[in-house]
């Protein structure tokens, strides 16, 4: 079975374009479409989907609320779909809210086809899409809206981390891949992977996306590459 994809966007032309790109892939199939979040939830009750490509701003129910219901308490199946948010620069705050709601990542709507396809495959395999340069630019855009250490205490959970783990978390939050972190810290990629796994376990996080959210919310990372 290929990756079963659902397209959720109120713009028919965009859905058509994405469908054409995905239909050309031997390992992907568009099995459902919806024009807003409410319709998406209705369709998901009767259709098995692996990955949902979710727009953010839509009528009736936006992508943030739909993502929260798909990934949270309203999800009826434990093997429910992973959500990949598609956004534009002027909707950064919505994308961040969707990540908090449980989305596995977000991409720009004008992302090159090969990057979109790679992102779909990544979230389907259980990974989180946080590393592309577009993501780093988005993070820089919405970071000023988030708390700083001066305005809000750091999350207590961060105190559970060793100095090295905090260093790795900082680089994860800045959008670096395991390979890039390994090169920067002069470690093996396997060691970095181990550190990331321990960070997620200690902080009770699902994936790298949640690690990024926590790092930014706690003030560990700020615009301009600020750190500890």
């Amino acid at each position: 079975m290929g990756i079963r994809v659902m397209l959720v966007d109120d713009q028919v032309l965009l859905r058509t374009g994405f469908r054409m790109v995905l239909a050309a892939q031997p390992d992907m199939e568009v099995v459902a479409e919806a024009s807003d979040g409410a319709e998406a939830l209705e369709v998901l009750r009767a259709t098995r989907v692996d990955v949902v490509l979710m727009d953010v701003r839509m009528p009736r129910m936006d992508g943030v609320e739909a993502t929260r219901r798909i990934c949270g308490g309203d999800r009826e199946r434990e093997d429910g779909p992973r959500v990949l948010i598609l956004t534009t620069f002027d909707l950064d705050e919505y994308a961040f809210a969707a990540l908090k709601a449980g989305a596995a990542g977000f991409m720009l709507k004008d992302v090159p086809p090969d990057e979109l396809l790679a992102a779909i495959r990544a979230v389907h395999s259980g990974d989180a899409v946080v590393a592309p340069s577009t993501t780093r630019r988005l993070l820089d855009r919405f970071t000023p809206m988030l708390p700083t250490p001066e305005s809000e205490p750091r999350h207590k959970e961060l105190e559970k981390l060793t100095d090295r783990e905090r260093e790795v978390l900082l680089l994860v939050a800045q959008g670096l891949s395991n390979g890039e972190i390994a090169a920067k810290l002069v470690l093996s990629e396997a060691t970095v992977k181990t550190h990331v796994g321990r960070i997620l376990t200690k902080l009770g996080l699902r994936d790298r996306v949640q690690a990024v959210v926590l790092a930014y919310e706690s003030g560990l990372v700020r615009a301009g590459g600020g750190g500890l």
Side-chain angles (χ1 to χ4, degrees):
M1 290 291 293
I3 303 173
R4 300 166 63 89
V5 180
M6 179 180 190
L7 306 176
V8 184
D9 197 300
D10 59 337
Q11 298 185 49
V12 177
L13 283 178
L14 278 176
R15 296 206 309 268
T16 300
F18 287 137
R19 189 190 321 118
M20 291 176 63
V21 172
L22 272 56
Q25 306 304 306
D27 62 337
M28 295 184 190
E29 179 185 6
V30 176
V31 296
E33 296 185 29
S35 59
D36 59 55
E39 183 182 357
L41 293 177
E42 293 173 5
V43 173
L44 284 172
R45 293 190 182 97
T47 307
R48 180 173 180 180
V49 174
D50 298 316
V51 177
V52 178
L53 294 188
M54 181 78 75
D55 187 21
V56 218
R57 181 172 291 178
M58 296 177 290
R60 289 209 298 169
M61 182 186 293
D62 64 24
V64 175
E65 180 59 25
T67 297
R68 184 176 295 112
R69 297 194 185 192
I70 292 171
C71 301
D74 285 1
R75 191 180 70 189
E76 296 179 359
R77 298 187 301 266
E78 288 300 320
D79 61 342
R82 303 267 287 173
V83 178
L84 179 60
I85 296 294
L86 297 176
T87 185
T88 54
F89 275 141
D90 63 333
L91 295 178
D92 299 341
E93 67 274 19
Y94 290 94
F96 182 73
L99 291 179
K100 289 187 66 176
F106 62 90
M107 305 286 289
L108 296 180
K109 280 190 175 182
D110 61 355
V111 64
D114 58 336
E115 289 187 24
L116 175 63
L117 296 171
I120 292 172
R121 294 184 178 105
V123 299
H124 178 252
S125 67
D127 291 333
V129 181
V130 295
S133 60
T134 51
T135 300
R136 298 176 199 174
R137 292 200 300 271
L138 283 168
L139 291 174
D140 286 342
R141 285 288 297 271
F142 67 66
T143 297
M145 298 184 298
L146 301 178
T148 65
E150 291 74 28
S151 63
E152 180 174 302
R154 294 175 185 266
H155 286 212
K156 286 291 185 181
E157 289 87 346
L158 296 181
E159 297 176 2
K160 302 176 183 177
L161 304 181
T162 65
D163 289 343
R164 175 62 86 184
E165 288 166 349
R166 288 166 68 90
E167 191 173 14
V168 171
L169 174 59
L170 176 62
L171 297 176
V172 167
Q174 292 175 343
L176 274 64
S177 66
N178 286 352
E180 291 170 329
I181 294 173
K184 192 174 185 67
L185 299 182
V186 194
L187 299 171
S188 71
E189 193 165 342
T191 298
V192 172
K193 185 175 181 180
T194 297
H195 281 311
V196 172
R198 287 174 178 167
I199 290 169
L200 298 181
T201 298
K202 286 184 177 182
L203 300 181
L205 303 175
R206 182 188 64 242
D207 53 34
R208 295 170 75 100
V209 166
Q210 290 194 339
V212 171
V213 170
L214 176 62
Y216 275 81
E217 280 195 320
S218 66
L220 182 67
V221 181
R222 298 183 299 281
L228 301 174

